[in-house]
């Protein structure tokens, strides 16, 4: 069981390790004196909310359906309307499922350590995700009920899977952080991996019809600013570039289910907003105040009438601990 951000003591004479704290909080910065410890205790409460959009898509009605102490990162609508998400509620980051009203939450995996990205097959509901094993990020798949978990790639940095509509291919990102970041395709029938482009491709996401991949990149050909690129999923050729405001610093986007636009979620103070960008480069629009707090991830319902959002609130306190 992981002990992230906990406080331990080590005996200088014997090397014995003793854990001082064991809870769901994280601890940062320590000061010691007179047998007492001062520490900064940081708690995160994660929420999952449903936001309903009206017919004109310029107003939103939010309803929180779930919350717990810790982290809820990836969140995705399943084909049956239930919600798949990754959570560390059990101590390690696992795939969970809950009903559309936030009830009946249960873990589908054990010991998987989910990291970057979750995608659900429209064919059989299989769940594709990135997980960490032995210091490597690999692609994995588990059935809709949590059985038959399999590792699909060896890493070391295979992340952000996006399953094709026919369920036969997974598009994903190779590389993280300061490494080369490129788009790849995994053929599930043969296991063959194919690089689609040498172009920098961050957080690729496949269009609903499977024909295009949207991704983030820094446009060195123009001004070095971040943009959204659209490439062909067939041969990796560049199809279009979409510009968004510099003030939008988050990098989280999803295709609208009708395939005509991309939505990017972002914070503006405590308010979470949604930027709608037509894929043909038309004028973007903003839906404001769809949730509150720090945005984590989001997804559209299959009919495009709802958005599920994971978001968090953090609190820090100085606490006095007695050894």
């Amino acid at each position: 069981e992981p002990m992230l951000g906990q406080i331990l003591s080590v005996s200088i004479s014997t090397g014995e390790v003793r854990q001082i704290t064991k809870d769901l909080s994280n601890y940062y910065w320590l000061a010691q004196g007179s047998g007492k410890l001062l520490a900064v205790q940081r708690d995160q409460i994660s929420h999952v909310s449903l936001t309903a959009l009206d017919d004109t898509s310029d107003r939103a009605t939010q309803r929180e359906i779930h919350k717990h102490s810790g982290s809820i990162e990836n969140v995705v609508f399943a084909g049956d309307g239930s919600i798949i998400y990754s959570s560390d509620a059990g101590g390690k980051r696992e795939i969970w499922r809950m009903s559309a009203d936030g009830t009946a939450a249960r873990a589908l995996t054990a010991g998987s350590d989910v990291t970057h990205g979750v995608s659900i097959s429209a064919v059989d509901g299989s769940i594709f995700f990135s997980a960490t094993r032995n210091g490597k990020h690999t692609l994995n798949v588990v059935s809709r009920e949590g059985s038959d978990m399999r590792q699909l790639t060896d890493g070391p940095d295979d992340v952000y899977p996006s399953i094709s509509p026919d369920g036969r291919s997974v598009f994903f990102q190779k590389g993280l952080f300061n490494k080369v970041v490129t788009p790849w395709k995994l053929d599930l029938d043969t296991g063959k991996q194919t690089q689609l482009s040498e172009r920098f491709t961050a957080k690729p996401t496949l269009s609903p019809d499977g024909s295009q991949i949207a991704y983030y990149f820094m446009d060195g050909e123009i001004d070095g600013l971040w943009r959204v690129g659209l490439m062909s999923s067939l041969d990796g050729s560049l199809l279009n570039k979409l510009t968004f405001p510099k003030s939008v610093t988050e990098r989280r986007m999803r295709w609208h289910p009708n395939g005509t636009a991309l939505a990017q979620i972002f914070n503006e103070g405590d308010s979470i907003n949604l930027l709608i960008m037509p894929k043909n480069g038309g004028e973007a629009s903003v839906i404001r105040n769809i949730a509150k707090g720090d945005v984590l991830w989001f997804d559209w319902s299959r009919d495009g009438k709802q958005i599920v959002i994971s978001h968090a609130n953090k609190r820090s306190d100085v606490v006095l601990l007695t050894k």
Side-chain angles (χ1 to χ4, degrees):
E1 181 177 336
M3 298 178 292
L4 299 177
Q6 298 298 302
I7 300 174
L8 302 95
S9 66
V10 181
S11 171
I12 296 175
S13 58
T14 66
E16 178 186 1
V17 177
R18 183 171 67 90
Q19 187 173 347
I20 297 175
T21 62
K22 188 177 182 181
D23 52 39
L24 294 177
S25 298
N26 286 296
Y27 294 87
Y28 303 82
W29 184 84
L30 287 174
Q32 181 177 353
S34 303
K36 297 180 179 180
L37 289 172
L38 276 177
V40 175
Q41 181 187 56
R42 184 175 298 171
D43 296 302
Q44 174 172 297
I45 304 298
S46 293
H47 311 258
V48 176
S49 297
L50 290 178
T51 296
L53 304 178
D54 70 5
D55 293 337
T56 61
S57 293
D58 61 2
R59 287 181 295 175
T61 303
Q62 177 204 348
R63 177 170 58 95
E64 181 181 292
I65 62 171
H66 181 82
K67 71 176 180 179
H68 69 66
S69 178
S71 178
I72 298 175
E73 291 289 343
N74 309 282
V75 61
V76 187
F77 269 114
D80 62 0
S82 64
I83 296 168
I84 302 296
Y85 61 104
S86 62
S87 168
D88 60 5
K92 208 167 189 178
R93 292 170 297 192
E94 306 293 349
I95 298 291
W96 288 64
R97 179 192 297 275
M98 64 179 162
S99 300
D101 61 0
T103 62
R106 66 183 182 94
L108 299 181
T109 62
S112 60
D113 203 1
V114 181
T115 52
H116 305 287
V118 172
S119 182
I120 300 177
S121 171
V123 176
D124 60 6
S126 297
I127 305 163
F128 294 79
F129 60 95
S130 176
T132 301
R133 286 189 179 87
N134 301 318
K136 295 182 177 181
H137 296 277
T138 63
L139 297 187
N140 302 262
V141 63
V142 68
S143 75
R144 64 182 308 275
E145 296 301 331
S147 60
D148 304 321
M149 188 166 72
R150 294 182 292 119
Q151 183 175 321
L152 300 173
T153 66
D154 295 326
D157 293 310
D158 299 338
V159 292
Y160 297 112
S162 197
I163 182 70
S164 62
D166 61 10
R168 300 182 64 179
S169 302
V170 180
F171 295 83
F172 65 101
Q173 170 186 323
K174 268 190 183 291
L176 272 175
F177 310 118
N178 294 326
K179 300 177 182 178
V180 176
V181 178
T182 51
W184 288 69
K185 174 184 176 181
L186 170 66
D187 187 310
L188 293 174
D189 294 329
T190 65
K192 180 182 178 182
Q193 298 184 32
T194 305
Q195 184 173 350
L196 293 176
S197 172
E198 295 183 358
R199 193 179 299 113
F200 181 95
T201 303
K203 297 185 178 178
T205 178
L206 194 64
S207 62
D209 65 1
S211 66
Q212 298 182 43
I213 300 170
Y215 62 97
Y216 290 108
F217 73 105
M218 294 184 73
D219 197 345
E221 295 180 356
I222 302 178
D223 49 19
L225 296 179
W226 282 97
R227 286 186 168 81
V228 171
L230 297 176
M231 73 167 68
S232 166
S233 62
L234 182 63
D235 59 14
S237 59
L238 181 64
L239 302 175
N240 203 0
K241 298 177 182 180
L242 305 180
T243 299
F244 55 88
K246 288 189 289 185
S247 59
V248 178
T249 57
E250 288 81 3
R251 303 287 174 261
R252 299 173 180 89
M253 67 177 166
R254 305 290 289 175
W255 284 88
H256 190 281
N258 65 18
T260 63
L262 286 140
Q264 180 167 340
I265 202 163
F266 66 100
N267 273 102
E268 197 171 59
D270 190 45
S271 175
I272 299 174
N273 305 321
L274 200 66
L275 179 70
I276 308 294
M277 302 177 291
K279 72 174 185 179
N280 62 7
E283 184 177 356
S285 60
V286 178
I287 305 173
R288 300 190 182 278
N289 300 314
I290 63 174
K292 296 290 186 182
D294 295 326
V295 61
L296 298 173
W297 202 257
F298 78 107
D299 192 32
W300 292 91
S301 61
R302 298 295 173 95
D303 60 8
K305 294 182 178 180
Q306 290 189 99
I307 297 170
V308 62
I309 309 167
S310 57
H311 50 114
N313 298 103
K314 295 183 177 71
R315 186 185 68 186
S316 295
D317 297 297
V318 177
V319 296
L320 179 66
L321 302 169
T322 302
K323 295 196 296 182

